[in-house]
Amino acid sequence: MDGRKALLPGTLLRLSTRTGYTEYSVRHEIGRGGSCIVYDASSADNLRNDKLVRIKECYPHALRISRDDDGTLHAEERDSAAFEAAKNRLINAYQKNHVLFATEDLSNAVANTSNLHEENGTIYIVSTWLNGQIFAGAEIKTLHDCIALLLSTARVLKNIHDAGYLYLDLKPENILTIKGSLDLVQLFDFDSMIAMADLE
């Protein structure tokens, strides 16, 4: 049973930056994995337009972690080292994602992570919002469309491998299909991705 307490819709996250802070309003939870909860959220630009984003919050399932009323996460002492390790893995995943996004042939094929924040006792990764849904929930109408999306995913994996990495968490929940496109998919969740050079 997953007893994690997600941030409620309407929660304001005030996340620090090098030059100040950005305020995000949580809209709703969209999913959770073993290490994180993911939310749709928004922030206002300088003209007060709402800009949609996705926010991944480090909140591992298997650890004894509580949430204060202000949103801060605290691990019990016996799980504090494991929580720190999970946060470090997420920071490393953000860095890998950044490297892949800057790699030719991968800019449109991996999530565009725009910032990482250390706040409320945890780590948040903010990504740009795309009009799509995960492969697991996609309403694919024909066998042709299904095969086309799988081939697009295979091309992304090949490009990641050509860039020197092994993506080790391929599953329908980690593939984002883009509305209106069979040629473009995005992978996310790079926590378990490793460099081939590390294997050698």
Side-chain angles (χ1 to χ4, degrees):
M1 180 177 161
D2 191 335
R4 288 176 289 183
K5 183 179 175 185
L7 295 170
L8 296 175
T11 299
L12 291 180
L13 284 175
R14 190 172 169 145
L15 303 181
S16 299
T17 65
R18 289 184 312 138
T19 57
Y21 69 91
T22 303
E23 193 169 76
Y24 298 96
S25 176
V26 173
R27 293 186 167 218
H28 57 269
E29 176 187 341
I30 61 169
R32 53 180 69 190
S35 63
C36 296
I37 297 180
V38 183
Y39 307 92
D40 271 346
S42 62
S43 66
D45 66 13
N46 289 332
L47 295 179
R48 299 189 180 172
N49 298 308
D50 275 344
K51 298 292 187 180
L52 297 175
V53 297
R54 294 250 158 89
I55 297 179
K56 178 185 277 192
E57 176 187 47
C58 184
Y59 190 169
H61 166 59
L63 304 181
R64 288 163 286 252
I65 298 173
S66 60
R67 188 189 295 280
D68 291 347
D69 290 340
D70 67 359
T72 302
L73 296 179
H74 300 280
E76 291 185 14
E77 186 174 348
R78 56 187 164 174
D79 283 337
S80 60
F83 189 28
E84 289 303 312
K87 289 187 276 188
N88 287 330
R89 282 194 300 273
L90 198 61
I91 292 170
N92 290 333
Y94 174 85
Q95 285 296 98
K96 292 173 188 174
N97 194 123
H98 174 75
V99 169
L100 289 179
F101 188 78
T103 301
E104 189 175 353
D105 297 329
L106 285 173
S107 291
N108 293 325
V110 297
N112 181 8
T113 53
S114 58
N115 216 338
L116 178 142
H117 303 270
E118 298 186 52
E119 208 81 47
N120 301 331
T122 191
I123 301 290
Y124 299 96
I125 292 179
V126 179
S127 303
T128 57
W129 187 90
L130 280 175
N131 188 6
Q133 58 185 347
I134 58 173
F135 195 91
E139 296 178 8
I140 302 169
K141 294 182 170 51
T142 67
L143 180 61
H144 172 273
D145 290 356
C146 184
I147 291 171
L149 288 170
L150 290 173
L151 288 173
S152 296
T153 303
R155 282 191 291 273
V156 172
L157 283 173
K158 180 183 182 304
N159 290 339
I160 289 174
H161 294 168
D162 289 348
Y165 294 92
L166 291 175
Y167 184 85
L168 301 177
D169 198 14
L170 185 65
K171 57 186 178 183
E173 292 82 5
N174 286 344
I175 304 168
L176 183 69
T177 63
I178 311 302
K179 188 172 182 179
S181 174
L182 297 174
D183 300 318
L184 184 62
V185 297
Q186 279 194 350
L187 296 185
F188 52 94
D189 201 352
F190 296 95
D191 300 21
S192 59
M193 188 176 76
I194 59 173
M196 293 182 191
D198 291 343
L199 291 177
E200 295 168 4

